[in-house]
Amino acid sequence: MAQAAADTARTVILTVDDDPGVSRAVARDLRRRYGESYRIVRAESGESALEALRELKLRGDLVAVILADYRMPQMNGIEFLEEALDVYPGARRVLLTAYADTNAAIDAINVVDLDHYLLKPWDPPEEKLYPVLDDLLDAWRTSAYRPVPSTKVVGHRWSARSSDVREFLARNQVPYRWYSVEEPEGQRLLAAAGQDGQRLPLVITPDGTVLVEPEAPELAARVGLATMPTADFYDLVVIGGGPAGLGAAVYGASEGLRTVLVERSATGGQAGQSSRIENYLGFPDGVSGAQLTDRARRQAAKFGAEILTTREVTALEVNGAARIVRFADGSAIAAHSIILATGVQYRQLEAEGCTDLTGCGVFYGSALTEASSCQGHDVYIVGGANSAGQAAMYLSRFAKSVTLLVRGADLSASMSHYLIQQIEEAPNIAVRSHTVVHAAHGTDRLERLTLRHVAGGETEQVEAQWMFVFIGAAPLTDWLGDTVARDGRGFILAGPDLTADGRPPAGWELDRPPYHLETSIPGVFVAGDARAESAKRVASAVGEGAMAVMLVHRYLEQS
């Protein structure tokens, strides 16, 4: 019994109903019966319930049962449960429905693998609610999704290294529990690990291994991420795990190519850090970057693609028909073909003080693990493109206010129209045009910003604890050197861009011109944001990854 209580101590039963009265009544009945052993979480819309599930997932919490009302606006119960299936596939799913919707509930059994449906009203709960949930909880506890130990991270709240570890685990879909060194449980974990807290963060893996200030490769290997290739030679090596790379891995592996994807940090790239992508085909209600990334990663693995994490590529070489990829540790793998999908990274803000405060209030990208900590605070976002707009909308749910700092006159030059409309309608989001960050101030964390007006040069100081930076991106291609042709900004030239003057690129030895996405090396292709003049959109990156695989087949057939 003691073990059962320990197993369920942080396990959640979630209920969602758009009627506040019904929502409270369900939660009340659940707490009365299960409140001592389970956390009861309630939400009043499918969207807010999904956000709650994602936050629980990032923290490594477990969800045993999800109860959803069928008739909800924007996202009905079946649609919600289908989305929830991706976040917690092992949770038992219950649909609350009226008698008139019984057919819909029966259909849902096949759509979302529904475990049970309950007719409203469920009174008395002792007869109609509790027996059903008792059976479902018993089944969940004995399933493959029963509670398991999770990774624990102990660190300082305002520590760049602690922030990096949390972000790394979250982006790689590794459940973890965060403990501040200031709280009692953090101190207990330090004592159990025999540490005095001088060297942090401390990571305790599910098997009890203690890692002190771990580097990413060690951390990846210890939490179960693949870091070593299983072969020396492949049909296709995909370098980069953003949308283009994941798309290439899915299509390459599904079409019979022995495929390995190599990622230096976490799959998803910049898109994986997006809180909400609303213009991606097939997701009318939007999809988070983490959710899209997780689906794509699982899909690539299902087809047999290897996915290597924390492997930094340092060189690309040609040896006859083989294309050789060299890693930072000196090892190498070879392949018939390569797809370069290295993407881009956010440029660093050069304002005074920003470097020292990175990870301590200054963040590049969305840093979604920090969002809940912005509750009630004033947040500043630097940038005016889609990534900045998506972050502003997401952070506005937590922050007291969100201010977008834009160098230009307005957002129309670089942000999609739908995002501009959402920002204009959000009551706690403001846009300051012709404004840049002149300096960031603080000792252990960000405390103030000095803002400067571009035209007049006037400056002012504002109180600030959070700043998220999205100021354009640079391609991650410096490691290529002169191996493949690049433009003046470092983006990779391919296809027609290589033969604009009617002549083949220097060193080209084949009778045919380069294929559309083929670089200056035959058999080496580029897809996504690293390509010169690419569209810089998730859908186009995925499409280029798929197209690159088609061209790989054409290349292999003619080699």
Side-chain angles (χ1 to χ4, degrees):
M1 293 295 291
Q3 182 59 48
D7 286 343
T8 59
R10 60 187 182 85
T11 301
V12 170
I13 298 175
L14 182 141
T15 174
V16 52
D17 195 304
D18 67 302
D19 185 326
V22 175
S23 178
R24 287 192 293 270
V26 175
R28 178 202 63 212
D29 287 343
L30 292 175
R31 288 193 181 96
R32 190 170 65 187
R33 173 82 168 202
Y34 306 104
E36 290 185 3
S37 300
Y38 295 86
R39 286 177 56 203
I40 310 302
V41 176
R42 72 180 183 94
E44 295 183 359
S45 72
E47 191 61 38
S48 62
L50 284 174
E51 292 297 339
L53 286 175
R54 295 185 190 113
E55 290 179 19
L56 292 168
K57 186 72 171 180
L58 288 179
R59 294 200 300 264
D61 291 334
L62 298 157
V63 176
V65 177
I66 301 173
L67 299 93
D69 182 51
Y70 173 63
R71 286 184 177 269
M72 295 189 294
Q74 284 82 51
M75 180 186 295
N76 68 37
I78 296 174
E79 293 167 340
F80 161 71
L81 289 172
E82 188 174 14
E83 296 270 358
L85 188 64
D86 289 321
V87 186
Y88 281 97
R92 295 309 194 239
R93 291 167 291 280
V94 179
L95 193 69
L96 299 176
T97 181
Y99 182 82
D101 299 317
T102 302
N103 289 336
I106 294 172
D107 291 339
I109 293 173
N110 296 321
V111 175
V112 295
D113 194 20
L114 193 68
D115 295 291
H116 207 282
Y117 68 89
L118 290 171
L119 295 177
K120 297 190 293 185
W122 59 90
D123 290 324
E126 289 78 7
E127 296 179 13
K128 298 184 178 180
L129 178 63
Y130 298 153
V132 171
L133 288 187
D134 287 344
D135 290 342
L136 292 178
L137 289 169
D138 286 342
W140 179 82
R141 281 193 294 267
T142 58
S143 72
Y145 295 94
R146 61 188 179 275
V148 296
S150 63
T151 298
K152 302 176 180 64
V153 181
V154 182
H156 289 293
R157 177 66 190 83
W158 298 108
S159 160
R161 186 69 189 111
S162 294
S163 177
D164 288 344
V165 166
R166 295 172 65 196
E167 194 75 5
F168 175 83
L169 293 173
R171 292 188 60 200
N172 279 290
Q173 310 294 318
V174 177
Y176 73 92
R177 297 278 293 181
W178 162 255
Y179 301 91
S180 171
V181 69
E182 287 85 13
E183 63 185 73
E185 185 61 21
Q187 289 294 319
R188 283 192 286 268
L189 289 171
L190 284 175
Q195 299 292 317
D196 58 8
Q198 296 300 308
R199 298 176 59 202
L200 293 173
L202 178 83
V203 178
I204 304 172
T205 65
D207 64 1
T209 301
V210 176
L211 308 174
V212 181
E213 296 181 316
E215 295 297 328
E218 179 189 16
L219 182 58
R222 291 292 189 175
V223 298
L225 300 174
T227 60
M228 300 297 294
T230 62
D232 297 325
F233 198 92
Y234 294 84
D235 295 319
L236 171 64
V237 174
V238 180
I239 304 175
L246 287 168
V250 167
Y251 281 92
S254 67
E255 294 174 11
L257 297 178
R258 184 164 192 183
T259 302
V260 59
L261 183 150
V262 180
E263 168 56 46
R264 67 173 190 159
S265 56
T267 51
Q270 284 186 317
Q273 296 176 282
S274 175
S275 55
R276 177 65 50 185
I277 303 168
E278 296 193 66
N279 58 352
Y280 190 71
L281 184 67
F283 291 88
D285 297 315
V287 60
S288 72
Q291 184 182 24
L292 188 64
T293 297
D294 182 52
R295 288 185 176 190
R297 182 185 177 109
R298 287 191 285 114
Q299 193 173 17
K302 183 188 79 170
F303 287 122
E306 290 182 40
I307 300 177
L308 306 182
T309 307
T310 66
R311 296 308 302 263
E312 184 175 358
V313 178
T314 57
L316 174 63
E317 301 173 3
V318 177
N319 185 1
R323 277 72 182 115
I324 300 171
V325 173
R326 296 205 175 275
F327 299 117
D329 64 0
S331 62
I333 55 175
H336 291 300
S337 58
I338 306 287
I339 293 178
L340 302 172
T342 51
V344 295
Q345 66 180 357
Y346 289 113
R347 297 185 187 278
Q348 301 293 295
L349 196 62
E350 296 181 358
E352 179 184 349
C354 286
T355 300
D356 293 337
L357 293 171
T358 298
C360 304
V362 176
F363 301 93
Y364 290 87
S366 296
L368 297 183
T369 54
E370 306 294 335
S372 60
S373 299
C374 298
Q375 188 78 40
H377 294 165
D378 297 314
V379 172
Y380 288 82
I381 295 177
V382 184
N386 276 7
S387 295
Q390 290 161 353
M393 291 303 302
Y394 181 71
L395 292 169
S396 68
R397 303 175 186 177
F398 305 90
K400 175 184 176 183
S401 71
V402 176
T403 302
L404 276 161
L405 305 176
V406 184
R407 179 182 289 272
D410 54 39
L411 299 173
S412 60
S414 54
M415 189 178 292
S416 295
H417 180 65
Y418 80 92
L419 268 176
I420 295 175
Q421 286 184 311
Q422 290 179 2
I423 288 171
E424 289 175 347
E425 294 170 0
N428 61 336
I429 299 180
V431 179
R432 292 188 55 163
S433 59
H434 299 300
T435 304
V436 297
V437 175
H438 181 71
H441 312 278
T443 51
D444 297 328
R445 57 160 300 174
L446 179 65
E447 298 170 359
R448 300 180 312 282
L449 292 174
T450 298
L451 307 181
R452 178 171 58 85
H453 194 271
V454 174
E458 303 91 349
T459 63
E460 67 169 301
Q461 280 201 3
V462 295
E463 299 294 322
Q465 292 179 303
W466 306 90
M467 179 171 69
F468 299 86
V469 182
F470 307 81
I471 54 169
L476 291 165
T477 60
D478 287 347
W479 61 276
L480 287 166
D482 297 327
T483 307
V484 301
R486 297 182 291 156
D487 66 13
R489 297 181 298 160
F491 291 93
I492 299 171
L493 298 170
D497 292 330
L498 289 167
T499 57
D501 58 1
R503 295 180 295 178
W508 188 263
E509 300 177 353
L510 302 182
D511 294 335
R512 63 168 177 81
Y515 294 133
H516 182 66
L517 298 177
E518 197 168 21
T519 70
S520 56
I521 298 177
V524 178
F525 300 82
V526 61
D529 291 358
R531 183 178 66 83
E533 306 302 324
S534 64
K536 307 296 187 293
R537 289 290 186 269
V538 176
S540 62
V542 173
E544 287 189 7
M547 182 187 295
V549 171
M550 179 191 73
L551 297 174
V552 164
H553 280 293
R554 188 178 300 176
Y555 166 77
L556 294 176
E557 289 167 359
Q558 297 181 1
S559 297

